[in-house]
Amino acid sequence: MTIRRIALFIVITSFAFAAVLPLSAQSEDTQAAAAREYFTDVPLVTQNGDSVRLYSDLLHNKVVVINTFFGTCTGSCPKMSGILAGLQERLGDHLGKDVLLLSFSVDPETDTPEKLKLYAEQFHARPGWLFLTGKKENVDLALSKLGPKIAHREDHSTLFLIGNDRTGLWKKAFAPSCTPASLKEIVDSVLNDKE
């Protein structure tokens, strides 16, 4: 009788333990599905001509630093890109591995992948810093998920959006008051967030 009870206990415990494991995985899957539904997997194109999906390829389980710009801008855009260029140096090996820099063009009809590649070269962008364009309606949808819609390219945001999809922590930094060092501190706080 004791052996039967022990065997029954082992069987019940095994099923209970197996039932618990998928729930945590299911919870993560549910969170990812909700985030994918919100952000969408709208297709975009990088400066290298690669097609990427907004959530699955660029945001899912990643820490990102996002900004908006247009290639012919002579005001805030080059300054923001300069800050990101300094940040990429401070990130070192973390760039592309732990952190992605995502620069979204607000003028996708002008900013072709070829033009974005030249723009990226001006700032010595390394792998892990993507300049994004695509069909106007796709870029507009992506940008609407990341911030307010804009009517004119000159009205784009001068904020950096720093996010950690794993933990759900998102912060904003006002670009005109940022330096590469101060932005790195914010990125580190988001990167090191545990919940």
Side-chain angles (χ1 to χ4, degrees):
M1 196 69 136
T2 309
I3 294 176
R4 277 191 192 171
R5 285 186 180 174
I6 293 173
L8 183 59
F9 175 76
I10 291 172
V11 169
I12 290 171
T13 306
S14 297
F15 281 122
F17 185 70
V20 169
L21 285 179
L23 287 178
S24 64
Q26 184 180 21
S27 175
E28 289 177 21
D29 290 344
T30 302
Q31 289 175 329
R36 184 178 297 106
E37 184 177 334
Y38 172 76
F39 286 109
T40 77
D41 262 339
V42 63
L44 301 165
V45 180
T46 71
Q47 74 268 28
N48 298 317
D50 298 325
S51 181
V52 292
R53 299 166 296 171
L54 177 61
Y55 183 73
S56 294
D57 298 328
L58 301 176
L59 303 177
H60 182 59
N61 283 331
K62 294 181 179 65
V63 172
V64 295
V65 180
I66 298 170
N67 77 305
T68 56
F69 79 105
F70 59 100
T72 57
C73 172
T74 58
S76 63
C77 303
K79 293 174 187 166
M80 291 176 70
S81 295
I83 293 168
L84 290 177
L87 175 63
Q88 82 173 341
E89 295 309 313
R90 284 169 173 72
L91 287 171
D93 292 340
H94 293 288
L95 180 66
K97 177 182 165 197
D98 302 313
V99 179
L100 288 180
L101 306 182
L102 306 176
S103 295
F104 286 81
S105 171
V106 294
D107 187 11
E109 293 165 330
T110 303
D111 290 335
T112 63
E114 298 79 19
K115 288 181 181 176
L116 291 184
K117 189 170 185 81
L118 293 173
Y119 188 85
E121 288 171 359
Q122 291 176 22
F123 294 95
H124 308 287
R126 296 193 330 246
W129 185 358
L130 299 175
F131 293 79
L132 300 157
T133 190
K135 293 180 181 176
K136 182 171 178 14
E137 60 270 18
N138 292 354
V139 173
D140 287 347
L141 176 61
L143 291 174
S144 74
K145 298 299 183 173
L146 299 167
K149 290 186 178 184
I150 60 165
H152 305 286
R153 66 183 189 175
E154 293 81 7
D155 298 333
H156 72 85
S157 169
T158 55
L159 295 173
F160 292 115
L161 182 61
I162 305 100
N164 183 333
D165 179 64
R166 284 181 220 101
T167 66
L169 177 64
W170 290 84
K171 294 184 177 184
K172 293 179 182 178
F174 185 56
S177 64
C178 279
T179 64
S182 67
L183 185 56
K184 172 79 164 50
E185 287 179 22
I186 297 168
V187 171
D188 285 342
S189 73
V190 172
L191 181 62
N192 295 322
D193 184 50
K194 301 297 181 210
E195 277 187 45

